[in-house]
Amino acid sequence: FSWKAITGAKAYQLEIATNESFDPDYMLPSLPEQLTTTSYKPADMSVGVPYYWHVQAKDAAGNWSDWSYIRAVTVQASLPAAPLLASPAAGAYLNDKTPELSWNAVPYGATYQIQVSRTAAFPAPLVQEHTGPELAYTASTLDADGLYYWRVRARNATGGYGPWSAVRSFT
């Protein structure tokens, strides 16, 4: 949290809460009563929780300014890495129009998105599904023999997507 210095300010008071009314029951604990800097980094914030904050300045005579405008921030979870594809093997020939596609879990991956396409660029995927926390998807909409490409990416608990996996193909 940072703010611009106020001319003549000798100290600042920062409030951070999980509601806009700054009720004591919703205040972030362990904040200093006064700060002499124009920034503060709390150690105890939860991922995915909206926090509201404002600041006021104190002059040399001990007078406090009005509170600043209320701002909101949500701490995002770390973005997940690209999943490693498990099966089928790259370039596999299958005798099944409903193959099970699987991949490995990644840290911070809460859910996964899979795409299957006829081209490696995925301009118009035939399959574009979110699987939840499952690490496999049965492709039940493939209606023709031929070459298919697939890839997966993970999404964290706060909705942020990681990069796509490497692309694999199967026939």
Side-chain angles (χ1 to χ4, degrees):
F1 295 88
S2 64
W3 52 93
K4 291 185 178 183
I6 301 296
T7 303
K10 300 298 179 193
Y12 299 93
Q13 183 177 14
L14 171 67
E15 288 187 335
I16 305 171
T18 56
N19 71 357
E20 290 183 81
S21 61
F22 295 91
D23 292 332
D25 291 341
Y26 299 96
M27 297 291 286
L28 192 69
S30 308
L31 287 177
E33 287 188 32
Q34 292 185 35
L35 298 163
T36 56
T37 62
T38 57
S39 65
Y40 182 75
K41 183 176 181 178
D44 51 359
M45 295 182 68
S46 299
V47 170
V49 174
Y51 289 94
Y52 302 91
W53 69 282
H54 60 186
V55 67
Q56 64 180 357
K58 181 179 177 182
D59 65 18
N63 300 309
W64 286 101
S65 70
D66 290 334
W67 286 101
S68 66
Y69 289 107
I70 296 171
R71 295 181 183 253
V73 63
T74 301
V75 178
Q76 296 294 310
S78 295
L79 290 178
L84 295 175
L85 304 181
S87 69
Y93 286 89
L94 309 173
N95 192 17
D96 184 359
K97 288 187 182 178
T98 59
E100 182 178 86
L101 310 174
S102 66
W103 53 91
N104 295 331
V106 295
Y108 309 111
T111 63
Y112 296 87
Q113 181 183 27
I114 185 168
Q115 288 184 336
V116 179
S117 179
R118 286 295 206 161
T119 64
F122 296 87
L126 301 170
V127 172
Q128 181 159 286
E129 296 288 333
H130 286 90
T131 66
E134 293 80 23
L135 300 175
Y137 174 80
T138 300
S140 60
T141 58
L142 307 180
D143 58 359
D145 291 336
L147 180 62
Y148 291 92
Y149 297 89
W150 69 290
R151 64 184 181 179
V152 176
R153 66 179 175 174
R155 189 166 98 176
N156 67 21
T158 53
Y161 285 98
W164 286 104
S165 66
V167 175
R168 274 198 187 168
S169 66
F170 63 89
T171 301

